[in-house]
Amino acid sequence: MSLLSAEHVCVRYGDVEVLHDISLSVAPGEIVTILGPNGSGKSTLLRALLGIVPVAEGRMLRQAGLRIGYVPQKLAVERTMPITVRRFLSLPVRVSDRSAKEALVRVGMEGLDDQELSDLSGGQLQRVLLARALLDQPGLLMLDEPTQGLDQPGEASFYRLIEEVRRDTGAAVLMVSHDLHVVMAASDRVICLNGHICCEGTPRVVSTAPEYRALFGLGTQGALALYRHEHDHDHADGHHHQDHPHHHHHDHDHA
Amino acid sequence: MAITIRTIRIITIMTMTMLDDFLIRAGLAAIGLSLATGPLGAFVVWRRMAYFGDATSHAAILGVALALATDLPVGVGTLVVALAMAVTVASLAARGWAMDTTLGVLAHSALAFGLVAVSFIHGVRTDLSAYLFGDILAVTRVELGLVWLGSLAVLALLAWRWQALLTATLSEDLAHAAGIKPERERLVLVLALALVVAVALKVVGALLIAAMLIIPAATARGLSRTPEAMAALATLAGAIAGIGGLGLSLWQDTPTGPSIVVVAALMFAVGSGWRRT
């Protein structure tokens, strides 16, 4: 039983077909990442799944009563618009002070209520957007390049937060990204996109697939190797990543 | 019972007598108008619709010309033409036209066509400045009623759509994902703008309506932390500018519409200077 699925979906902008014959599904509690280079249509796919962009062909199914929390790619808050974090959380549905506080604590932004949105740093804003998406207790979180503009530590801690949220709330996560290594670490399944689905599978399977290598070139190998190295090191320190999807793989590496 | 009826009668008579005073009527018209221009002006500022306000209000002059030519009430003419202009601009914007150029062409063309058209109608030429700069001191009771009716309608419309409007203003994608249609909310603002233009024509005139939308809202920005506070403060600033402008106009015998805008601008200057210190 999947939460959300697309069957043979095509999206066209005028005469240009930006997405061709996309079929995918997201199961409860899983973290799926759509990975692709710039212009591969990954944001468009997410927006089509959300119903923002109309679909030319194919169909999409949602589990009845599924609540989706959406974190957009970026939020350009006009300096002319005064709005505090607390007020923002009450858009478009007003929420109680208690739920607002809980959501901010959840993303590690407690006490930020009275900050103006336009004064937040990129990382803080992403967390506030996530807090807002969590207020509705969604069964599925959809994130569009959530770490764009964050530095590497910021990026890593944001993906850790996503995993925590999945563990604590059981929400599935479907996100879009063009950055490779950290995403690989945080996903159960990766869908490689370039106008169509090139390949799909666990991060390990995808990273060795010829389609993936063709799409991202050799440069990624270094990054992935770096990631593995870090992870091995982490592992040797005796940290136990109980919910980490790669746990078993790395056990094999050691053996 | 008898006392109540008598009280009501006395209050009614007092009110009527009060409304006989042109200054009271002018003051009430200014306050009524700011009820609408405050919150709507906030949206104009947030959405960078300043030029949009210009185009719509300049089109009102064309509306005046058409109304005079067809013997329709001026209010109806301005409302219809302002609405047509606002809808045109909004749909061009949705199609991704370069807005500053498009609006520049439309705003000034509408004004020029309107001015030329009015000159063909005999006996109007001398009165034209009333439409360009407003004639708040000549507001009749009926016009005062229309100002309040229009302003309250705009206020009610904005209050009804408030949450959706704010969401769509912050991010159209967030609005979409929450089941809000950004195009519909844009239409709400367009409708509100046309209504305000029709109502404000008599008070500040076609050339300065946009100023009454933008300046009080800009003044309120530095003093507010939430959208609601900004809308409320913009209303207050607009009302103060209205009363202050009336005072300035009486004291120095200056044209009233521009005097109101002068007071609003002075408040803005003081406000931004005060924030800096």
Side-chain angles (χ1 to χ4, degrees):
Chain A
M1 181 60 210
S2 63
L3 295 176
L4 177 87
S5 63
E7 291 170 7
H8 308 292
V9 163
C10 297
V11 173
R12 294 188 192 104
Y13 288 144
D15 292 335
V16 185
E17 188 162 87
V18 285
L19 287 175
H20 175 67
D21 194 24
I22 305 285
S23 296
L24 61 85
S25 73
V26 182
E30 94 178 309
I31 298 186
V32 180
T33 301
I34 301 167
L35 199 59
N38 288 336
S40 59
K42 50 196 192 308
S43 281
T44 304
L45 176 55
L46 201 69
R47 289 156 61 85
L49 291 169
L50 278 161
I52 299 176
V53 172
V55 164
E57 266 175 55
R59 62 177 192 152
M60 286 182 300
L61 296 170
R62 273 188 199 184
Q63 190 186 64
L66 174 69
R67 283 200 295 266
I68 295 179
Y70 172 54
V71 178
Q73 190 170 32
K74 57 180 189 294
L75 188 71
V77 186
E78 290 277 344
R79 286 286 316 166
T80 54
M81 186 168 188
I83 185 162
T84 58
V85 168
R86 174 66 189 89
R87 181 66 187 89
F88 175 65
L89 293 178
S90 272
L91 283 177
V93 182
R94 290 189 190 272
V95 294
S96 68
D97 283 344
R98 210 180 128 211
S99 351
K101 192 167 180 240
E102 277 172 12
L104 286 178
V105 168
R106 168 72 273 174
V107 300
M109 290 285 111
E110 60 265 48
L112 231 67
D113 305 61
D114 289 331
Q115 281 276 325
E116 274 194 37
L117 227 48
S118 51
D119 289 339
L120 297 181
S121 72
Q124 287 175 321
L125 186 59
Q126 282 307 323
R127 282 164 184 258
V128 168
L129 284 168
L130 180 62
R132 181 187 163 281
L134 290 173
L135 278 168
D136 199 25
Q137 282 153 352
L140 172 63
L141 272 173
M142 289 172 87
L143 302 96
D144 192 354
E145 305 226 23
T147 60
Q148 213 183 37
L150 301 193
D151 57 10
Q152 274 205 340
E155 205 172 39
S157 75
F158 190 83
Y159 285 120
R160 265 200 303 279
L161 176 61
I162 298 284
E163 284 199 81
E164 277 172 36
V165 166
R166 189 262 301 259
R167 186 186 62 212
D168 297 348
T169 68
V173 178
L174 177 64
M175 56 187 169
V176 152
S177 186
H178 71 269
D179 46 42
L180 307 167
H181 47 295
V182 190
V183 164
M184 286 296 199
S187 315
D188 298 328
R189 202 147 57 81
V190 175
I191 295 171
C192 211
L193 191 78
N194 192 20
H196 60 284
I197 293 181
C198 303
C199 54
E200 184 180 352
T202 62
R204 165 127 328 187
V205 167
V206 167
S207 65
T208 55
E211 294 91 340
Y212 170 82
R213 293 193 170 178
L215 204 53
F216 287 99
L218 290 169
T220 58
Q221 296 306 309
L224 279 169
L226 183 66
Y227 158 68
R228 285 208 191 106
H229 178 78
E230 280 170 1
H231 199 86
D232 283 349
H233 185 75
D234 216 352
H235 202 79
D237 279 349
H239 289 290
H240 291 284
H241 299 254
Q242 301 244 320
D243 299 289
H244 204 289
H246 293 268
H247 193 68
H248 299 293
H249 294 308
H250 283 283
D251 276 349
H252 287 299
D253 279 351
H254 283 290
Chain B
M1 190 66 185
I3 293 170
T4 327
I5 290 172
R6 226 183 115 217
T7 320
I8 290 172
R9 195 173 292 155
I10 290 172
I11 288 173
T12 315
I13 292 169
M14 278 172 64
T15 316
M16 287 296 136
T17 325
M18 217 171 68
L19 288 179
D20 280 342
D21 187 335
F22 74 98
L23 263 185
I24 301 276
R25 285 199 305 269
L28 287 175
I31 292 169
L33 178 64
S34 60
L35 287 178
T37 50
L40 184 62
F43 278 107
V44 168
V45 167
W46 296 332
R47 292 179 159 241
R48 301 181 176 232
M49 287 164 64
Y51 231 134
F52 192 95
D54 266 337
T56 310
S57 54
H58 289 182
I61 289 295
L62 193 57
V64 169
L66 292 178
L68 291 176
T70 54
D71 276 337
L72 276 169
V74 170
V76 175
T78 48
L79 185 62
V80 169
V81 176
L83 195 59
M85 175 62 104
V87 169
T88 308
V89 170
S91 60
L92 287 179
R95 265 187 253 159
W97 284 49
M99 280 325 280
D100 58 342
T101 311
T102 313
L103 285 170
V105 170
L106 286 174
H108 300 118
S109 309
L111 184 62
F113 272 99
L115 291 174
V116 168
V118 168
S119 75
F120 281 112
I121 301 160
H122 289 289
V124 183
R125 202 173 297 211
T126 46
D127 291 327
L128 196 58
S129 73
Y131 296 111
L132 287 174
F133 300 113
D135 195 7
I136 193 174
L137 295 177
V139 166
T140 64
R141 274 188 210 180
V142 174
E143 284 167 339
L144 177 61
L146 286 174
V147 166
W148 274 80
L149 208 66
S151 291
L152 289 176
V154 166
L155 201 58
L157 185 65
L158 294 182
W160 173 47
R161 305 301 312 163
W162 191 255
Q163 289 281 96
L165 278 168
L166 282 180
T167 311
T169 300
L170 263 176
S171 157
E172 300 215 332
D173 280 356
L174 272 187
H176 257 306
I180 297 163
K181 293 198 173 67
E183 315 84 58
R184 196 177 56 190
E185 305 311 323
R186 211 177 298 134
L187 204 64
V188 165
L189 288 178
V190 162
L191 187 68
L193 194 61
L195 257 172
V196 162
V197 165
V199 157
L201 191 65
K202 186 81 182 181
V203 180
V204 286
L207 291 184
L208 295 172
I209 292 170
M212 278 315 280
L213 286 168
I214 293 154
I215 300 175
T219 308
R221 168 59 183 101
L223 309 169
S224 0
R225 298 181 63 79
T226 61
E228 289 77 16
M230 181 161 154
L233 279 175
T235 304
L236 188 67
I240 293 174
I243 304 296
L246 271 177
L248 175 64
S249 166
L250 281 179
W251 175 42
Q252 290 293 325
D253 195 24
T254 49
T256 317
S259 302
I260 292 174
V261 176
V262 162
V263 174
L266 288 176
M267 285 170 70
F268 172 78
V270 169
S272 40
W274 177 67
R275 247 198 315 148
R276 211 154 288 155
T277 52

